[in-house]
Amino acid sequence: MATRRALKAVLVDLSGTLHIEDAAVPGAQEALKRLRATSVMVRFVTNTTKESKQDLLERLKKLEFDISEDEIFTSLTAARNLVEQKQVRPMLLVDDRALPDFKGIQTSDPNAVVIGLAPEHFHYQILNQAFRLLLDGAPLIAIHKARYYKRKDGLALGPGPFVTALEYATDTKATVVGKPEKTFFLEALRGTGCEPEETVMIGDDCRDDVGGAQNAGMRGILVKTVLQNAHHVRSAELGKYRAADEDKINPAPYLTCESFPHAVDHILQHLL
């Protein structure tokens, strides 16, 4: 294993780590300020496909997070880059609010399928349309394959099960562009001058955030995102963490802790 170098960069997941929908994780804004007061470079990496980068930035600003647009690297950006590289006309199976990130991309007479989280579009007719395109040889591009994600009303199916259904039906493999792909993490570091072994990733998804980052040579911190200290907490008040999530990846997370502020405390005390 590469020798660990001094910590220079911290990658932070957004949904489920800094906020859940329109609620900030308690203490997260102040913890981010403490992290920024050090010499480390902070970047935000997200698989969210529910909204454009601009909408996401607005949401974070309303929650009083001090984040600028060029610090965010999204799986939508990575998908757009791939579509441009392949020079294809995609059928966009994404939430309508994510469409601005594909502005200028030719989508008429599609010859590719791009799939993200699009609950309103995941019905038989549209999925069947995608299925037929794939049978005709169109490539399948998955923005990510998360099994599920966290909403205020509880856990909800992610795009992963729908991507897998299309793969199964057409006997093809999707090209995945978001977390946990190694290229996604390396792209997020591009231009920072930092190496993976000088980087820590903080996220609430054991496989996509922590496993993906560790496969790319980083250290991964898994946060449970417990929103309340109450003993009888309803599942809707917890993050997506489930007991024994750590056992789902090998090697195990570098650290598992309660929430983003705890992760920052650990970095300040032990890694700088």
Side-chain angles (χ1 to χ4, degrees):
M1 197 172 159
T3 320
R4 286 281 165 221
R5 303 195 210 161
L7 182 68
K8 285 189 182 172
V10 178
L11 299 183
V12 184
D13 173 50
L14 291 171
S15 178
T17 301
L18 288 189
H19 71 99
I20 289 174
E21 293 187 14
D22 290 321
V25 166
Q29 297 97 326
E30 197 270 328
L32 180 58
K33 280 185 187 140
R34 283 187 289 134
L35 190 58
R36 287 198 186 279
T38 70
S39 60
V40 301
M41 197 166 281
V42 184
R43 288 287 180 275
F44 303 90
V45 288
T46 173
N47 264 356
T48 189
T49 65
K50 296 197 299 279
E51 56 197 345
S52 67
K53 197 192 246 194
Q54 207 46 57
D55 287 351
L56 181 60
L57 202 56
E58 286 303 306
R59 182 193 292 265
L60 294 167
K61 285 197 167 145
K62 271 186 196 147
L63 295 175
E64 295 177 4
F65 282 108
D66 172 28
I67 295 173
S68 65
E69 190 173 349
D70 59 357
E71 292 177 314
I72 302 173
F73 185 64
T74 80
S75 52
L76 286 171
T77 309
R80 186 195 172 108
N81 292 351
L82 186 63
V83 163
E84 289 179 334
Q85 203 182 309
K86 283 185 180 282
Q87 297 185 312
V88 289
R89 301 180 302 276
M91 171 188 181
L92 291 171
L93 263 175
V94 297
D95 192 292
D96 293 347
R97 287 171 301 165
L99 291 175
D101 284 5
F102 291 95
K103 197 177 173 202
I105 296 280
Q106 179 61 257
T107 55
S108 58
D109 188 25
N111 60 358
V113 175
V114 171
I115 180 168
L117 180 65
E120 287 77 26
H121 302 312
F122 286 160
H123 56 74
Y124 188 84
Q125 205 176 339
I126 286 188
L127 288 167
N128 206 44
Q129 208 179 318
F131 162 70
R132 288 174 178 173
L133 278 174
L134 298 174
L135 279 187
D136 287 341
L140 176 60
I141 297 169
I143 297 178
H144 63 88
K145 278 182 87 173
R147 291 163 169 82
Y148 52 87
Y149 70 105
K150 177 68 191 159
R151 291 197 315 209
K152 275 188 291 204
D153 62 351
L155 294 176
L157 281 173
F162 300 94
V163 175
T164 305
L166 288 170
E167 287 179 320
Y168 176 72
T170 56
D171 213 8
T172 53
K173 271 272 162 257
T175 300
V176 185
V177 293
K179 299 180 284 188
E181 299 306 302
K182 188 176 178 175
T183 46
F184 180 87
F185 289 98
L186 299 180
E187 275 286 297
L189 277 187
R190 211 152 61 108
T192 64
C194 304
E195 297 297 324
E197 52 275 13
E198 299 168 326
T199 307
V200 164
M201 168 75 205
I202 305 170
D204 71 322
D205 189 300
C206 195
R207 289 188 182 97
D208 288 356
D209 295 328
V210 178
Q214 294 192 157
N215 286 341
M218 305 173 181
R219 278 173 281 192
I221 298 180
L222 178 65
V223 290
K224 298 180 183 180
T225 309
V226 180
L227 291 189
Q228 292 197 357
N229 297 323
H231 296 298
H232 305 292
V233 184
R234 292 181 302 125
S235 67
E237 290 162 346
L238 295 168
K240 76 191 282 185
Y241 175 84
R242 289 290 167 271
D245 266 1
E246 301 92 322
D247 304 338
K248 289 176 182 171
I249 61 166
N250 186 13
Y254 158 74
L255 175 74
T256 300
C257 61
E258 293 300 294
S259 66
F260 176 71
H262 291 91
V264 171
D265 288 343
H266 178 89
I267 288 169
L268 299 183
Q269 286 163 29
H270 302 285
L271 298 181
L272 291 177

